[in-house]
Amino acid sequence: MKPAFGVSVPEGLGEMCAPERCGLIVYDMQAGIVPQIADGRRIVQKCQSLLSAARTAGMRVFFTRHLFLPNAASGVGQLRRLMIWERKTDPADTFPLITQGSPAWEIVPELQPRENEVLIDKITMSAFESTFLNLALRDAQVQAFIIAGIAMEVGIEPTVRHGADMNFSPIVAVDACGSKTQEAMERSLATLKETGEVVLCSTDEIISSLAGR
């Protein structure tokens, strides 16, 4: 740690991943989302490894779940998104893709949260927008977060950028993040790397850092 002006700035992955100041975000690993990614099962396995290491280290764990409101309760943003995603020209012809309480909304069985872990439901791409995630991390004096899940270009990149804007230190477990296409993955990673503030690393690197403590 580098002390300056009354604070200590972590150096390197090992210090950033310290469980007392880092949390794990498992992003939208839901039954209705994982199968949409060609290598979804591999991403599940990587998230399992990451989750196991985080639990062993005593790190705070947060799961996010995306949902769509019933159309009758929806606004312009959701209806427009559904029109785009479902290729419909009339919002009245759309249907909510994942609804609260549906089987598709649930976290996949292999990654079931434990009693002392947190589930955050959202209708946004950034996990920080209109949720309690920011408050929960701040209250626990967490300074950094590791993120993994699906999908990189849809929700993980916005969450990472949002988190960085709030002065968290984002750590992306690249091989534990899924994407619709390799091109989309590479495009997102390139823009995140360009910031210089986002740590891009492998699941094994994170696990090694946690195990070495």
Side-chain angles (χ1 to χ4, degrees), residues 15-130:
E15 291 185 353
M16 292 177 68
C17 284
E20 66 271 17
R21 54 177 174 269
C22 185
L24 172 64
I25 301 171
V26 181
Y27 188 95
D28 289 8
M29 291 297 288
Q30 296 163 259
I33 293 178
V34 170
Q36 297 182 35
I37 304 299
D39 61 348
R41 302 317 303 171
R42 183 186 66 80
I43 301 302
V44 169
Q45 292 170 358
K46 288 292 183 181
C47 285
Q48 281 182 296
S49 298
L50 199 55
L51 187 56
S52 177
R55 285 168 171 168
T56 299
M59 184 175 289
R60 287 172 172 81
V61 177
F62 300 83
F63 293 82
T64 68
R65 290 184 297 200
H66 195 83
L67 64 93
F68 288 82
L69 301 177
N71 277 9
S74 297
V76 173
Q78 175 173 305
L79 293 174
R80 183 172 181 272
R81 180 174 294 124
L82 287 174
M83 290 171 66
I84 294 168
W85 287 7
E86 297 172 9
R87 296 182 173 84
K88 300 288 180 64
T89 58
D90 187 342
D93 292 336
T94 65
F95 59 92
L97 297 173
I98 297 176
T99 55
Q100 194 168 34
S102 67
W105 169 73
E106 299 290 353
I107 302 295
V108 294
E110 299 92 331
L111 301 174
Q112 277 300 298
R114 293 182 176 175
E115 185 178 0
N116 62 343
E117 295 169 347
V118 183
L119 278 161
I120 297 176
D121 288 328
K122 61 183 180 60
I123 61 172
T124 55
M125 298 301 107
S126 169
F128 288 103
E129 177 57 41
S130 301

Side-chain angles (χ1 to χ4, degrees), residues 126-138:
S126 169
F128 288 103
E129 177 57 41
S130 301
T131 74
F132 59 80
L133 179 58
N134 177 37
L135 178 59
L137 295 177
R138 299 282 188 203

